[in-house]
């Protein structure tokens, strides 16, 4: 009986050898990230009557949890009207590797499914008015006018909502899926 | 049990040959005499018939040992051996042959083969599930439920355990896919299966030590063994999601060569499902399957080649794809999903696109009188692409995983010697996982190499069967993951996992079988449990693995009593108690994770000692020869033994009761094997849940669903056609199921009527 087992043993080893040699995969994961997740939001406010543009950036490269996001303070002048624009990007940076995917154009293109909402606390600290429109004539919010009056400190909260099929005359900041929900500490001087 | 031994000992030299053997032949249950039964003495080759009172007699018999064989149409053959030393009266009672008694074929094993509780879905019951997914089909079995993600994704749950804890054997090959995901349904075409068997409880010995919850065996029918070609076409359609399925099968055997073959294909397409009050937006799906099988069989050598292709694209309920916790709160607060849309066959983002290839090669060789040696090689590739509802991302998926698996198995099944039969074997798994660049690194790259060996033996004598088995698996796991701070990290693990089982099966008289089984299985943590890292869009939770996890191990004790071969009542009750140490589970943490999208729940894999226990009951009661009541009830309880708290996601108690009427077959009629059934499924509220086990939303209410089935065989001249109708949720009840992950967002499907036509060609 022992003798007759030898060929079978060879059989098994053959199969296993086939298994181990057939698919050597030496590929390594690349320093890469998901290209569709927003990591960086940049708000640019340019004074309407000339002057240096003000930018504030909210950045969280490693996603929720992990390292705390880097958040700029938004410092504005009182009694000023600004032309605002906001940019969304998916970025990665470590060592000498740097990779940026701008998502702003995609959002504009899919304007009928997106809306950006701006809220100031206390109310009236800064007032944002959306100036761009989607194909259906609904506001998008990538382009704005921001107006300040009195001095004060508070917060500006910005929401990017994805509202495919639900953006309408009655949709609001509670409609759809939240892609971005960030807050800038704001000071009007 | 019938005895087969024949005594030929001690022939007395002083023969007394004037003895008489007489008695009555009776029905075992009714004690009524059976007229015209054949009674035959094998040693003497003498026979007689029972008279109009059931009496029989043999005269002029010598002293000695004899074997009596009693046969009667509609009854099981009875053999009795005895020693005749004086004139004797022996009454012979016969048991009704259960297979002949009923028009309806009994499903489930009537004679148990192993001590561990098993359930089989086959025959008519399997036919009634045609058109449903694998997970939904298996719910027909007692003790099996499913974890769902909306109406399209269903994963089998055995005694409260699922995912990596349930090993699925697809045509003899371990199905290897991304089983860790609750929203990843098994990539198997149930239409190609002739039988689905579930082994309940820890069963690591035969197919791998990770089978803590049990095993699902999906088996296609055997290749034809007589020459010629035959085929079959099945058409299935349903209301509600307006699903249409076409399945075709052709098989044959060559005349000149011992070569047989089969081709099976099926195509499914369904639109969005309908809850009673609204459309479940974007829940359509499509599926394409192909299977080809080639078999070669000579006297001692057999070989089989099998290839199957599975592809599905299935939509996800659009309103379940949410951003942060505020969105989740808004969704829960809504009466109905935000987007209901209207019925459509088109599938938009979010959706999954999954392809699974399986190539199997098997060879078997008869090792003389001793048994059979089998070698099986399996190659599988599983490509899972998940398309989120993101911006304009073109055709790119956000999750794109590629899993390749090679399995080998060598088993020697030996025939009984000294009442011992069993098998010895060794197996290997080689598995490589990677993901495409620019997609979510939810699961790291990994290479898993597992080598295992096992022995499982049975000893059987008379009424008793004893079983024992042991297995050892050595698993090495090499992970490659990208870390923003440190570059490529290569953690690696080695796990040693033992499994064992001890069982006993005892036939207590003719109608009762008692069995008990203790199974031990030990499962190494999966790469996902160790290194998950990513957002789950339908749970607003950020899931993280735990690299410190160790193997979890389970000791499962089960006792079963099976009452069978009776005229009216037949059934089975099993009780189980499963202790799992280092049970791995996903715990929602008290702190939120803050990200650019706002606040998310954080969940991390943890370990605790847990306990699962429960009972499965199933029985048939024949009210009349035509009307049968069938009951299937299962209860599962679970607890975290360390904190004495409830575990999330455990199956609530469920009971399904069905009345089935089988029509008489009339020779003049075109119809045969017709039946009509009406039943109700009651699923209780999971009362063993609280704010700790379900922090997001409390368990939904209990529900009751009415269902009905009907079927017949229609004869058109020489052509036979099988017809069937299955109706589910007939009262169009709005309800939510505790084990559906999308219960936060929407109701379950409403009424659905499914029609089925099978035409053998």
């Amino acid at each position: 009986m022992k003798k007759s087992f030898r060929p079978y043993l060879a059989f098994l080893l053959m199969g296993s050898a086939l298994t181990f040699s057939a698919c050597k995969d030496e590929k390594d994961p690349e320093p890469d990230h998901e290209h569709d997740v927003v990591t960086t939001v940049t708000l640019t406010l340019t004074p309407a009557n000339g002057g240096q543009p003000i930018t504030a950036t909210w950045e969280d490269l490693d996603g929720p949890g992990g390292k705390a996001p880097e958040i700029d303070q938004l410092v504005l002048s009182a009694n000023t009207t600004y032309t605002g624009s906001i940019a969304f990007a998916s970025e990665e940076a470590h060592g000498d590797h740097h990779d940026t995917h701008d998502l702003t154009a995609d959002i504009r293109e899919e304007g009928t499914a997106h809306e950006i909402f701006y809220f100031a606390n206390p109310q009236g600290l800064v007032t944002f008015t959306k100036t761009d429109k989607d194909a259906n004539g609904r506001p998008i919010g990538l382009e704005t006018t921001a107006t300040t009056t009195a001095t004060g400190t508070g917060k500006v909260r910005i929401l990017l909502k994805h509202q495919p099929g639900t953006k309408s005359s009655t949709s609001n900041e509670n409609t759809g899926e939240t892609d971005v929900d960030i807050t800038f500490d704001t000071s009007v001087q | 049990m019938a005895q087969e031994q024949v005594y030929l000992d001690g022939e007395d030299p002083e023969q007394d040959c004037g003895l008489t053997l007489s008695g009555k032949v009776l029905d075992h249950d009714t004690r009524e005499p059976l007229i015209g039964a054949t009674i035959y003495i094998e040693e003497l080759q003498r026979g007689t018939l029972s008279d109009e009172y059931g009496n029989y007699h043999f005269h002029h018999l010598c002293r000695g040992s004899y074997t009596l064989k009693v046969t009667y149409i509609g009854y099981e053959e009875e053999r009795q051996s005895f020693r005749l030393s004086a004139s004797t009266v022996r009454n012979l009672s016969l048991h009704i042959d259960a297979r002949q008694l009923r028009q309806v074929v009994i499903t489930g094993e009537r004679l148990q083969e192993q001590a561990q509780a098993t359930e089989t879905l086959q025959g008519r019951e399997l036919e009634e599930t045609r058109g449903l997914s694998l997970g939904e089909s298996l719910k027909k079995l007692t003790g099996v439920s499913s974890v769902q993600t909306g109406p399209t994704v269903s994963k089998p749950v055995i005694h409260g355990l699922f995912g990596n804890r349930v090993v699925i054997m697809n045509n003899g090959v371990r199905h290897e896919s991304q089983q860790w995901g609750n929203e990843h349904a098994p990539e198997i075409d149930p239409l190609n299966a002739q039988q689905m068997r579930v082994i309940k409880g820890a069963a690591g010995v035969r197919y791998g030590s990770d089978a803590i919850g049990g095993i699902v065996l999906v088996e296609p029918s055997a290749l034809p063994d007589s020459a010629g070609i035959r085929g079959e076409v099945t058409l299935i359609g349903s209301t509600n999601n307006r699903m249409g399925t076409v399945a075709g099968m052709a098989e044959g055997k060559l005349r000149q060569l011992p070569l047989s073959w089969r081709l099976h294909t099926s195509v499914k397409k369904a639109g969005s499902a309908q809850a009673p009050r609204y459309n479940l937006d974007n829940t359509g799906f499509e599926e394409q399957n192909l299977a080809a099988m080639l078999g070669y069989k000579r006297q001692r050598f057999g070989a089989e080649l099998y290839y199957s292709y599975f592809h599905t694209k299935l939509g996800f309920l659009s309103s379940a794809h949410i951003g942060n916790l505020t969105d989740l709160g808004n969704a829960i607060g809504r009466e109905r999903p935000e987007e209901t849309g209207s019925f459509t066959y088109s599938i938009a983002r979010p959706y999954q696109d999954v392809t699974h290839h399986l190539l199997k090669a098997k060879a078997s060789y008869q090792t003389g009188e001793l048994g059979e040696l089998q070698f099986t090689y399996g190659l599988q590739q599983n490509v899972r692409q998940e398309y989120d509802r993101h911006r304009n991302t073109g055709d790119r998926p956000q999750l794109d995983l590629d899993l390749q698996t090679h399995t080998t198995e060598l088993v020697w099944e030996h025939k009984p010697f000294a009442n011992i039969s069993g098998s010895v074997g060794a197996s290997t798994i080689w598995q490589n996982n990677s993901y495409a660049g620019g997609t979510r690194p939810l699961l790291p790259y990994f290479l898993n190499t597992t080598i295992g060996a096992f022995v499982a033996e049975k000893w059987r004598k008379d009424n008793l069967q004893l079983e024992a088995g042991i297995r050892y698996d050595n698993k090495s796991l090499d992970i490659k993951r990208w870390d923003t701070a440190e570059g490529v990290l290569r953690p690696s693990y080695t796990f040693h996992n033992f499994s064992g089982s001890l069982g006993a099966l005892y036939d207590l008289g003719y109608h009762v079988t008692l069995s008990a089984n203790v199974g031990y299985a030990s499962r190494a943590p999966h790469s996902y449990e160790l290194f998950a890292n990513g957002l789950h869009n339908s749970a607003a939770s950020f899931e993280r693995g735990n690299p410190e996890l160790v193997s979890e191990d389970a000791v499962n004790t089960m006792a079963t009593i099976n009452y069978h071969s009776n005229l009216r009542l037949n059934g089975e009750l099993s009780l189980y108690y499963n202790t799992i140490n280092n049970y791995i589970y996903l715990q929602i943490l008290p702190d939120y994770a803050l990200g650019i999208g706002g606040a998310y729940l954080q969940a991390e894999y943890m370990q605790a000692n847990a306990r699962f226990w429960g009972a499965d009951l199933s029985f048939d009661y024949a009210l009349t020869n035509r009307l049968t009541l069938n009951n299937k009830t299962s209860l599962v309880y679970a607890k975290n033994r360390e904190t004495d708290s409830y575990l999330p996601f455990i199956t609530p108690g469920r009971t399904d009761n069905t009345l089935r009427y089988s029509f008489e077959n009339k020779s003049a009629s075109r119809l045969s094997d017709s039946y009509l059934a009406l039943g109700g499924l009651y699923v209780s509220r999971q009362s063993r849940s609280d704010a700790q086990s379900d922090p997001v939303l409390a368990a939904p209410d209990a529900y009751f669903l009415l269902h009905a089935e009907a079927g017949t065989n229609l004869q058109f001249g020489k052509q036979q056609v099988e017809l069937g109708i299955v109706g589910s949720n007939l009262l169009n009840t709005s309800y939510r199921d505790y084990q559906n992950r999308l219960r936060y967002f929407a109701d379950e499907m409403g009424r659905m009527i499914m029609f089925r036509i099978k035409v053998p060609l």
Side-chain angles (χ1 to χ4, degrees):
Chain A
M1 200 168 94
K2 238 180 210 164
K3 207 172 174 185
S4 60
F5 264 112
R6 236 173 257 153
Y8 315 143
L9 215 60
F11 203 24
L12 174 69
L13 288 173
M14 209 172 71
S16 303
L18 185 81
T19 301
F20 290 112
S21 59
C23 260
K24 277 279 171 220
D25 195 337
E26 288 302 328
K27 214 166 56 167
D28 271 350
E30 286 172 19
D32 207 344
H33 66 294
E34 193 181 339
H35 293 171
D36 307 297
V37 169
V38 179
T39 60
T40 310
V41 180
T42 310
L43 178 68
T44 308
L45 297 176
T46 312
N49 53 4
Q52 278 297 312
I54 292 159
T55 63
T57 304
W58 204 108
E59 187 163 70
D60 186 11
L61 295 180
D62 66 348
K67 271 186 263 173
E70 287 174 28
I71 312 167
D72 291 343
Q73 206 193 359
L74 186 60
V75 182
L76 303 175
S77 305
N79 298 311
T80 312
T81 300
Y82 296 91
T83 305
S85 70
I86 193 163
F88 299 90
S90 179
E91 282 192 40
E92 194 181 28
H94 36 77
D96 45 6
H97 174 85
H98 196 96
D99 191 20
T100 302
H101 300 266
D102 181 38
L103 303 168
T104 319
D106 291 344
I107 293 168
R108 184 173 291 116
E109 206 174 302
E110 288 195 353
T112 52
H114 286 98
E115 188 165 350
I116 299 144
F117 296 90
Y118 299 84
F119 300 99
N121 182 21
Q123 228 176 352
L125 182 69
V126 198
T127 309
F128 286 88
T129 313
K130 297 169 206 175
T131 54
D132 50 353
K133 297 263 190 291
D134 66 20
N136 299 330
R138 303 286 318 151
I140 304 175
L142 287 168
E143 310 295 333
T144 52
T145 305
T147 318
T148 58
T149 51
T151 59
T153 56
K155 289 175 192 304
V156 168
R157 179 173 171 220
I158 302 173
L159 284 164
L160 168 62
K161 300 292 288 200
H162 191 204
Q163 305 172 332
T166 49
K167 187 173 172 180
S168 69
S169 57
T170 55
S171 61
N172 57 24
E173 74 277 10
N174 290 322
T175 308
E177 179 183 350
T178 309
D179 284 343
V180 169
D181 183 351
I182 55 166
T183 303
F184 288 111
D185 285 337
T186 306
S187 161
V188 179
Q189 291 164 350
Chain B
M1 286 301 292
Q3 310 284 318
E4 283 192 65
Q5 57 263 52
V6 176
Y7 304 118
L8 290 168
D9 55 306
E11 288 290 323
D12 199 327
E14 293 166 55
Q15 291 280 2
D16 177 356
C17 289
L19 304 177
T20 299
L21 172 67
S22 62
K24 251 184 191 322
V25 184
L26 301 163
D27 180 299
H28 178 85
D29 294 291
T30 63
R31 308 308 294 173
E32 287 190 10
L34 299 176
I35 304 157
T38 309
I39 305 103
Y40 184 77
I41 301 178
E42 293 193 337
E43 287 77 5
L44 305 176
Q45 301 189 354
R46 270 169 71 182
T48 184
L49 296 178
S50 57
D51 64 15
E52 57 191 303
Y53 305 104
N55 294 325
Y56 75 94
H57 17 83
F58 289 101
H59 300 288
H60 310 298
L61 297 177
C62 303
R63 282 163 67 171
S65 295
Y66 297 107
T67 305
L68 271 186
K69 189 171 93 178
V70 194
T71 52
Y72 191 66
I73 288 175
Y75 287 77
E76 294 191 359
E77 183 183 298
E78 184 83 0
R79 290 158 78 98
Q80 287 191 0
S81 297
F82 63 98
R83 202 172 162 78
L84 189 72
S85 48
S87 289
T88 308
V89 176
R90 282 185 87 86
N91 288 339
L92 306 165
S93 55
L94 295 188
H95 294 271
I96 279 191
D97 187 337
R99 282 163 305 193
Q100 296 205 13
L101 171 70
R102 248 154 263 193
Q103 298 303 317
V104 179
V105 179
I106 300 172
T107 56
E109 308 274 76
R110 196 174 56 77
L111 279 175
Q112 261 174 282
E113 283 178 3
Q114 58 186 59
Q116 193 158 6
T118 60
E119 296 265 352
T120 307
L121 186 64
Q122 62 188 7
R124 192 206 59 229
E125 271 201 301
L126 178 62
E127 288 301 319
E128 285 175 0
T129 68
R130 296 302 193 196
L132 301 177
S133 67
L134 184 78
E136 287 299 300
S137 306
L138 289 169
K139 275 172 144 175
K140 282 256 178 189
L141 301 175
T142 319
V144 184
S145 65
S146 80
V147 159
Q148 282 171 260
T149 303
T152 44
V153 174
S154 186
K155 281 173 82 79
V157 179
I158 304 173
H159 287 171
L161 298 170
F162 57 95
N164 287 310
R165 298 183 180 97
V166 171
V167 168
I168 300 179
M169 298 297 297
N170 182 15
N171 188 16
V173 178
R174 260 178 77 104
H175 182 68
E176 289 291 338
S177 63
Q178 308 285 0
Q179 299 104 309
W180 50 267
N182 291 344
E183 70 278 40
H184 303 167
E187 296 86 351
I188 294 172
D189 177 17
L191 290 169
N192 190 23
Q194 191 216 19
Q195 164 176 302
M196 298 185 206
R197 208 147 64 89
V198 170
I199 300 172
K200 299 188 274 190
V205 171
R206 183 60 181 80
Y207 299 112
S209 57
D210 40 2
I212 277 184
I215 298 170
V216 177
L217 297 137
V218 182
E219 280 153 19
S221 51
L223 284 168
D225 50 13
S226 54
I229 295 178
R230 62 174 288 270
E232 197 176 273
V233 172
T234 306
L235 300 174
I236 306 165
S238 79
T239 63
N240 194 309
N241 60 2
R242 304 183 209 173
M243 183 265 293
T245 299
V246 181
M249 188 275 287
E251 63 181 12
K253 186 169 184 283
L254 303 188
R255 272 172 218 287
Q256 291 83 9
L257 288 169
L259 209 57
S260 20
W261 55 274
R262 177 185 300 127
L263 275 175
H264 186 274
T265 181
S266 72
V267 178
K268 263 186 214 178
K269 176 94 186 154
S272 46
Q274 312 291 309
R277 289 174 297 170
Y278 43 81
N279 178 56
L280 296 166
D281 193 39
N282 199 42
T283 52
F285 67 94
E286 59 179 65
E287 194 181 301
Q288 299 91 31
N289 294 288
L290 180 73
M293 198 170 177
L294 195 64
Y296 176 85
K297 198 156 176 63
R298 292 212 75 152
Q299 275 169 337
R300 303 188 74 175
F301 179 74
E304 185 193 309
L305 202 61
Y306 176 85
Y307 168 76
S308 71
Y309 166 85
F310 172 100
H311 172 256
T312 188
K313 178 177 173 183
L314 53 95
F316 251 54
L317 185 72
S318 50
S319 294
H321 199 277
I322 51 163
N324 58 21
L325 263 181
T326 319
D327 296 353
L328 181 62
N330 286 339
I332 290 170
R334 283 183 195 111
E335 195 41 22
R336 50 169 61 204
E338 192 169 29
E339 294 158 64
T340 50
S342 53
F343 176 84
T344 173
Y345 279 105
S346 64
I347 300 166
R349 285 167 177 261
Y351 68 89
Q352 302 181 349
D353 190 300
V354 189
T355 307
H356 193 92
H357 299 272
L358 162 67
L359 179 71
K360 171 193 163 185
K362 182 178 172 179
S364 59
Y365 186 77
Q366 301 281 342
T367 51
E369 293 297 300
L370 288 170
E372 193 180 64
L373 191 77
Q374 297 168 351
F375 176 78
T376 312
Y377 165 76
L379 166 65
Q380 292 173 81
Q381 186 186 30
N382 184 283
V383 178
R384 167 169 288 276
Q385 297 182 323
E386 297 188 6
Y387 294 77
D388 283 356
R389 201 167 62 157
H390 267 294
R391 275 152 298 287
N392 202 1
T393 42
D395 294 333
R396 209 168 57 239
Q398 278 60 56
L399 186 70
D400 191 349
L401 300 170
D402 183 351
L403 181 73
Q404 296 194 16
T405 311
H406 300 255
T407 50
T408 64
E409 188 189 67
L410 181 72
V411 178
W412 182 56
E413 282 181 355
H414 68 81
K415 288 193 179 144
F417 54 86
N419 294 329
I420 295 177
S421 64
S423 50
V424 184
S427 67
T428 64
I429 301 173
W430 185 96
Q431 189 168 58
N432 188 61
N433 181 68
S434 61
Y435 56 84
T439 63
R440 186 174 307 158
L442 187 61
L443 180 68
Y445 279 41
F446 67 81
L447 180 67
N448 157 21
T449 313
T450 305
I451 297 174
F454 75 92
V455 187
E457 299 290 331
K458 267 182 212 175
W459 175 88
R460 181 158 192 116
K461 193 164 184 230
D462 302 340
N463 291 354
L464 182 66
Q465 174 171 310
L466 298 175
E467 307 168 5
I470 188 162
R471 183 186 183 97
Y472 167 72
D473 279 305
N474 179 300
K475 174 172 176 169
S476 70
L477 190 60
D478 297 305
I479 301 213
K480 284 188 274 192
R481 57 184 275 265
W482 177 258
D483 183 275
T484 328
E486 299 171 66
V488 179
L489 296 180
R490 297 169 192 275
S492 78
Y493 294 82
T494 303
F495 299 100
H496 303 275
N497 298 108
F498 281 94
S499 329
S501 73
L502 277 177
L505 193 72
Y506 183 72
D507 288 312
L508 188 72
Y510 191 83
H511 292 288
V512 181
T513 306
L514 300 176
S515 57
N517 165 277
V518 181
Y520 171 80
S522 156
R523 180 179 75 90
H526 188 269
S527 313
Y528 187 75
E529 292 160 333
L530 295 165
F531 289 103
N533 180 31
L535 191 61
H536 245 222
N537 275 97
S538 58
S541 70
F542 197 86
E543 295 182 1
R544 249 180 247 291
N546 179 351
E548 306 298 319
L549 297 178
V550 296
S551 291
E552 58 181 20
D553 48 2
V555 179
N556 188 31
T557 311
M558 201 181 318
T560 305
I561 176 163
N562 190 327
Y563 186 60
H564 56 83
S565 311
N566 296 292
L567 188 63
R568 297 260 175 247
L569 181 69
N570 292 287
E572 186 176 281
L573 173 71
S574 30
L575 304 172
Y576 60 92
Y577 186 91
N578 192 358
T579 310
I580 306 183
N581 289 332
N582 299 316
Y583 176 73
I584 298 172
Y585 67 105
L586 192 65
Q587 174 69 53
I588 293 178
L589 304 177
D591 300 330
Y592 297 141
L594 288 171
I596 203 151
Y600 301 95
L601 291 170
Q602 280 196 94
E604 192 177 78
Y605 278 99
M606 293 191 171
Q607 291 192 295
N609 294 337
R611 180 169 67 207
F612 287 71
W613 69 104
D616 289 343
L617 171 71
S618 62
F619 67 84
D620 280 312
Y621 184 78
L623 296 158
T624 70
N625 278 354
R626 308 246 146 247
L627 191 64
T628 306
L629 173 72
N630 171 264
N631 168 287
K632 293 170 183 175
T633 303
S634 51
L635 296 171
V636 187
Y637 301 107
K639 208 137 207 206
N640 180 332
R641 267 153 50 215
E642 287 173 22
T643 57
D644 198 38
S645 54
Y646 299 130
L647 288 168
F649 237 44
I650 302 303
T651 318
R654 49 194 290 144
T655 180
D656 193 345
N657 292 280
T658 308
L659 264 178
R660 189 177 297 272
Y661 186 83
S662 310
F663 293 90
E664 200 174 344
N665 283 342
K666 295 204 176 88
S667 53
S669 171
R670 281 167 172 270
L671 302 178
S672 61
D673 294 341
S674 312
Y675 71 93
L676 206 57
L678 182 70
L681 167 73
Y682 175 80
V683 177
S684 67
R685 181 176 180 274
Q686 183 50 282
S687 53
R688 301 172 61 82
S689 65
D690 52 23
Q692 176 275 135
S693 65
D694 294 276
V696 176
L697 184 64
D701 291 337
Y703 62 85
F704 173 81
L705 303 177
L706 198 66
H707 60 86
E709 294 84 20
T712 189
N713 287 344
L714 198 57
Q715 198 76 32
F716 284 113
K718 283 194 166 177
Q719 180 64 56
Q720 202 188 38
V721 176
E722 264 181 67
L723 297 173
I725 302 179
V726 175
S728 51
N729 192 2
L730 288 175
L731 300 176
N732 212 19
T733 309
S734 289
Y735 70 102
R736 298 196 182 191
D737 186 89
Y738 179 63
Q739 288 184 296
N740 190 332
R741 297 173 65 251
L742 302 194
R743 69 180 171 97
Y744 305 153
F745 309 102
D747 290 343
E748 298 284 334
M749 260 169 118
R751 181 187 302 122
M752 180 163 95
I753 318 274
M754 206 154 67
F755 305 88
R756 167 181 95 244
I757 303 174
K758 187 157 107 179
V759 186
L761 301 170

